[in-house]
Amino acid sequence: MERSLTLTPDPLDEPALVATRRMTGDMGAAVYFSGVVRGSEDGQPISAIEYECFRPMAEHQFHQLFDELEHRWPVESLRLVHRLGVVKVNESSLWVEVIAPHRGEAFAACQWLIDEMKRVVPIWKKPVV
Amino acid sequence: MERSLTLTPDPLDEPALVATRRMTGDMGAAVYFSGVVRGSEDGQPISAIEYECFRPMAEHQFHQLFDELEHRWPVESLRLVHRLGVVKVNESSLWVEVIAPHRGEAFAACQWLIDEMKRVVPIWKKPVV
Amino acid sequence: MTIRIQFWSYFKDLTGCTQASEELPFGSTIGDLLQHLHARFPKLIAMQNSTLIAVGVEYQARDYVLKDGDEVSLFPPVQGG
Amino acid sequence: MTIRIQFWSYFKDLTGCTQASEELPFGSTIGDLLQHLHARFPKLIAMQNSTLIAVGVEYQARDYVLKDGDEVSLFPPVQGG
């Protein structure tokens, strides 16, 4: 499985990421998730979210998840970008691409990865008012 | 719910579509599906798939599905593009964007829409060898 | 009354045509129309359990009562995406 | 032996520091370390049921036996995405 993990303070350029998609002729499905900062947190308006990351552990935990994902589903390629630092409302903090032969496995793998990420990858949010 | 339906013989420019995404500050999730023509059909190599469409009925059935989707999930925006005519291997035939407050509903709505589309929207495939 | 029929996908190959029309007595149903079409295009008979039928842009069942000028579409299972 | 501790997210606010170290007898577990830390930083006590603990880059349970030089991280539930 091709894999790409980026933890970066830079804004996510999603059109550019989509433009660099690579998939072989055996693949029929590409599923994308963009997580975007919402304008309120617990009912209070916010202007941004600050993401803190324990980077060596986050990278290790992400790659453990990628290993497990690769065993569970026939995914050809996985790319994940998580933005760190201050991310303004309406900007993306997370972008995931999963490429697989069929849509069922691409959707399942993508959702599983995000659920697991939110369970084990050491990244924390702090609302900015 | 904002909705956009395009049935077109033109190649899908996915980066351009992503670049025109619009979502308000209450939305936290954008889910995308790209369906791509695979290089084989029933085990035989193919070069393309030709899509035939009964257009007035397809548009009507799509909008009935959009109506139902809007009742089931709090989706803010839905865009769907289906390519018609000859689509070469490795090119996209279908692109869907679902924007919702949270990822659970965005994923559910996107998958439901594709499943239902394959049940009721009058579009047919013919492999091109 | 006159009913126009459109064939889609490989139903065009099975019938050898894209459109046809049938004269039917008032009160005829889609089921009655299918009997006429099966007599005229016997290759449709093997497909009858999976055949989808629309009148205009809506799916209809075999017991739908046809009206003069109805446009009926016959096609195999759809496969978009 | 010397154990270094890193605090993350609002655990830094609760303890007032990002890092600390503890001297513990050989054979001490993470559970033993937590007892020392709770005495030193009482605000962590209320968090103990949801506290996540890693040694290096791996999660470990309370019965993990610490080794000299281990780097322990304490943090609240993660919230990426």
Side-chain angles (χ1 to χ4, degrees):
Chain A
M1 183 179 79
E2 292 289 315
R3 49 171 84 180
S4 164
L5 172 66
T6 308
L7 305 172
T8 174
D10 300 330
L12 307 192
D13 186 345
E14 295 180 46
L17 286 163
V18 170
T20 54
R21 175 170 83 209
R22 288 175 53 177
M23 56 199 289
T24 66
D26 295 330
M27 298 298 117
V31 166
Y32 296 90
F33 176 74
S34 304
V36 177
V37 173
R38 301 171 72 197
S40 63
E41 181 89 0
D42 299 328
Q44 299 300 311
I46 61 171
S47 67
I49 284 183
E50 184 170 2
Y51 288 91
E52 179 187 1
C53 177
F54 176 11
R55 187 186 278 263
M57 183 172 173
E59 290 173 348
H60 177 74
Q61 295 289 328
F62 265 128
H63 281 290
Q64 281 191 333
L65 295 178
F66 295 174
D67 290 343
E68 188 174 344
L69 185 148
E70 184 171 17
H71 278 95
R72 285 184 172 221
W73 293 282
V75 168
E76 179 182 81
S77 171
L78 173 61
R79 289 192 290 168
L80 187 148
V81 186
H82 201 304
R83 197 168 159 198
L84 304 176
V86 174
V87 183
K88 285 186 200 143
V89 167
N90 230 247
E91 292 184 353
S92 297
S93 54
L94 173 65
W95 181 87
V96 183
E97 176 193 67
V98 175
I99 290 170
H102 306 97
R103 74 185 185 287
E105 52 224 19
F107 274 116
C110 187
Q111 290 177 88
W112 177 87
L113 180 62
I114 298 166
D115 289 344
E116 288 297 296
M117 179 197 82
K118 288 173 178 279
R119 201 174 61 81
V120 301
V121 173
I123 296 176
W124 302 272
K125 305 201 284 194
K126 193 160 93 178
V128 180
V129 181
Chain B
M1 183 179 79
E2 293 289 314
R3 50 172 82 181
S4 165
L5 171 66
T6 309
L7 304 172
T8 175
D10 302 328
L12 307 190
D13 186 345
E14 296 181 47
L17 286 163
V18 171
T20 55
R21 175 169 83 210
R22 288 176 52 178
M23 57 199 289
T24 65
D26 295 329
M27 299 297 118
V31 166
Y32 296 90
F33 175 74
S34 303
V36 177
V37 173
R38 302 171 72 197
S40 63
E41 182 89 359
D42 299 329
Q44 300 300 312
I46 61 170
S47 68
I49 284 183
E50 185 171 2
Y51 288 90
E52 180 188 0
C53 177
F54 176 12
R55 187 186 278 262
M57 182 172 175
E59 289 173 349
H60 177 75
Q61 295 290 326
F62 265 128
H63 281 290
Q64 282 193 333
L65 294 178
F66 295 174
D67 290 342
E68 186 174 346
L69 185 147
E70 184 170 17
H71 277 96
R72 286 185 172 220
W73 293 281
V75 168
E76 179 181 81
S77 170
L78 173 62
R79 289 192 289 168
L80 187 148
V81 186
H82 201 304
R83 197 169 160 198
L84 303 176
V86 174
V87 183
K88 286 187 200 144
V89 167
N90 229 246
E91 292 185 354
S92 296
S93 55
L94 173 65
W95 181 87
V96 183
E97 177 193 67
V98 176
I99 290 170
H102 306 99
R103 74 186 187 288
E105 52 224 18
F107 275 116
C110 187
Q111 290 176 89
W112 177 87
L113 179 62
I114 300 167
D115 289 345
E116 289 297 297
M117 180 197 82
K118 288 174 178 276
R119 200 173 62 80
V120 299
V121 174
I123 296 176
W124 302 271
K125 305 200 285 194
K126 192 161 94 178
V128 180
V129 181
Chain C
M1 59 182 180
T2 303
I3 303 296
R4 292 202 300 162
I5 305 107
Q6 271 195 299
F7 302 106
W8 295 94
S9 182
Y10 58 81
F11 278 24
K12 292 182 288 192
D13 303 322
L14 295 178
T15 61
C17 52
T18 59
Q19 300 195 355
S21 70
E22 285 284 343
E23 286 297 323
L24 292 172
F26 278 100
S28 294
T29 63
I30 285 177
D32 299 326
L33 171 65
L34 286 177
Q35 286 198 329
H36 282 73
L37 293 174
H38 289 166
R40 194 166 151 196
F41 307 110
K43 286 181 181 167
L44 291 180
I45 296 171
M47 304 296 147
Q48 60 183 316
N49 287 334
S50 61
T51 297
L52 297 174
I53 300 157
V55 177
V57 296
E58 295 282 7
Y59 287 98
Q60 299 295 351
R62 304 304 197 255
D63 61 358
Y64 172 90
V65 178
L66 292 161
K67 297 184 300 292
D68 191 32
D70 269 351
E71 301 199 6
V72 176
S73 292
L74 260 68
F75 45 83
V78 304
Q79 300 166 288
Chain D
M1 60 184 179
T2 303
I3 303 296
R4 292 203 300 162
I5 305 105
Q6 272 195 299
F7 301 107
W8 295 93
S9 182
Y10 59 81
F11 279 24
K12 290 182 289 192
D13 304 320
L14 295 178
T15 62
C17 54
T18 59
Q19 299 196 354
S21 69
E22 285 284 342
E23 286 297 322
L24 292 172
F26 279 100
S28 295
T29 63
I30 286 178
D32 299 326
L33 172 64
L34 286 177
Q35 286 199 327
H36 282 73
L37 292 174
H38 289 166
R40 195 165 151 197
F41 306 110
K43 287 181 180 168
L44 290 180
I45 296 171
M47 305 297 147
Q48 60 185 316
N49 288 334
S50 61
T51 296
L52 297 174
I53 301 156
V55 178
V57 295
E58 295 281 8
Y59 287 98
Q60 299 294 352
R62 303 305 196 255
D63 61 358
Y64 172 91
V65 178
L66 292 160
K67 297 185 300 294
D68 192 30
D70 270 349
E71 301 199 5
V72 176
S73 291
L74 260 68
F75 46 83
V78 303
Q79 300 167 287

